[in-house]
Amino acid sequence: MPIDPDVAIGADLGETRFSWTSTDVLLYHLALGAGASPTDPAELAYVLEDRLRVLPTFGVVAPGFRTFEPPAVRFPGIDVDLSKVLHGTQSITVTGPIPTSGEAVARARIADVWDKEKAAVIIQEATVASAAGDPLWTTSSAIFARGEGGFGGHRGPSTAAELPDREPDRLLEVPVLPQQALLYRLCGDRNPLHADPEFAARAGFEQPILHGLCTYGMVCKSVVDSELDGDVTRVASFATKFAGVVFPGETLRVRVWRTPTGHVVTASAAERGDAPVLADTVLTLA
């Protein structure tokens, strides 16, 4: 079905009531590689419930954490083949530390649809509040649907995070486990692109690729650990643009520049000649 922007833009996607426990948070952190140094007190704060702190990026996956069916890209005015879809951008802004357990309501809508001629970009926004109505966090994401452009919509804005004109303040290398995608799919994203070699081949990849949101969480954790001494409460927001794929077993090379308001970050695949993975990545301090 062709995309109908008149129907899609502004469409109310309803509300999702969800809950989470410390077990969900622990699994999420482990799926990002936390606990690799199992006696390090800094790592234990991610994997032991008696001292648990929650990475802000958990809020992105929390509403769908117990979703066990592969996602479908069907919204009012939009029906896209899952094999054509890639994650384009993601951001989260938190009002304070995410609780280690809780109940909440997410309300989502299609904020915009951009026509890039050879592809469509679908922008979703969601607000999350506690069961008592207190705001917890907001998210914004863009999905990139190949071959779905040309419907006569606007191209959307062109924005980029400016990198400081100097060498990065910190250079990090973050290993991606060979089984990282198989672990991360337990956090709710069962898209076969990340697990099934035959499905990945139909989508044009030589092997299953890592979830973009896994890369997103791993890079956020690396910056929080290296620049903020693991203090997740210092993060107000974390936003990125997915610039390329990551294959399980590779190494993420993360470059970090300090700014007056936070950090600007890039990530690349070290084994593929520093092929870009994340761009326009900004961590804003609370």
Side-chain angles (χ1 to χ4, degrees):
M1 180 183 77
I3 290 177
D4 185 342
D6 293 333
V7 174
I9 297 174
D12 185 350
L13 303 183
E15 65 178 38
T16 302
R17 294 184 177 272
F18 64 99
S19 62
W20 68 97
T21 69
S22 61
T23 298
D24 300 322
V25 177
L26 296 173
L27 176 57
Y28 174 73
H29 289 161
L30 288 168
L32 299 182
S37 300
T39 59
D40 182 348
E43 289 297 306
L44 292 177
Y46 289 112
V47 297
L48 288 182
E49 57 273 19
D50 65 351
R51 65 203 72 178
L52 186 60
R53 58 194 179 192
V54 185
L55 271 174
T57 52
F58 174 75
V60 173
V61 303
F65 204 89
R66 295 188 178 89
T67 301
F68 303 117
E69 295 297 323
V73 189
R74 295 187 183 94
F75 310 114
I78 298 170
D79 190 350
V80 178
D81 184 338
L82 185 62
S83 67
K84 296 181 178 180
V85 170
L86 291 172
H87 209 144
T89 67
Q90 182 65 59
S91 69
I92 184 167
T93 301
V94 295
T95 61
I98 295 178
T100 58
S101 62
E103 297 180 355
V105 180
R107 294 179 173 85
R109 70 185 188 104
I110 301 294
D112 209 347
V113 182
W114 303 339
D115 187 348
K116 300 294 188 181
E117 296 184 0
K118 293 184 179 180
V121 180
I122 303 162
I123 312 297
Q124 298 180 62
E125 294 179 350
T127 60
V128 176
S130 70
D134 300 318
L136 294 174
W137 64 82
T138 61
T139 62
S140 178
S141 65
I143 57 174
F144 188 87
R146 295 173 292 176
E148 298 294 333
F151 53 83
H154 65 100
R155 288 188 57 83
S158 178
T159 58
E162 185 175 351
L163 294 176
D165 187 19
R166 65 175 192 272
E167 290 298 306
D169 297 300
R170 193 178 295 269
L171 178 64
L172 306 167
E173 295 210 340
V174 182
V176 180
L177 297 173
Q179 69 272 34
Q180 200 90 55
L182 300 178
L183 285 167
Y184 189 82
R185 70 191 297 269
L186 300 180
C187 298
D189 186 343
R190 301 295 177 94
N191 187 338
L193 179 63
H194 307 297
D196 184 340
E198 293 182 1
F199 187 95
R202 291 200 301 273
F205 297 104
E206 61 189 49
Q207 68 182 78
I209 63 175
L210 189 65
H211 305 70
L213 286 182
C214 185
T215 306
Y216 174 76
M218 292 178 73
V219 170
C220 182
K221 179 180 180 299
S222 72
V223 178
V224 169
D225 291 346
S226 64
E227 293 292 309
L228 307 181
D229 295 323
D231 186 354
V232 299
T233 68
R234 295 180 62 190
V235 180
S237 66
F238 188 65
T240 199
K241 175 183 177 181
F242 299 102
V245 300
V246 176
F247 294 103
E250 293 187 325
T251 304
L252 298 173
R253 184 166 289 151
V254 180
R255 294 174 171 85
V256 184
W257 289 264
R258 301 177 190 121
T259 72
T261 58
H263 301 80
V264 179
V265 184
T266 66
S268 59
E271 291 85 356
R272 285 184 285 125
D274 265 351
V277 170
L278 298 185
D280 299 338
T281 305
V282 178
L283 185 152
T284 304
L285 295 174

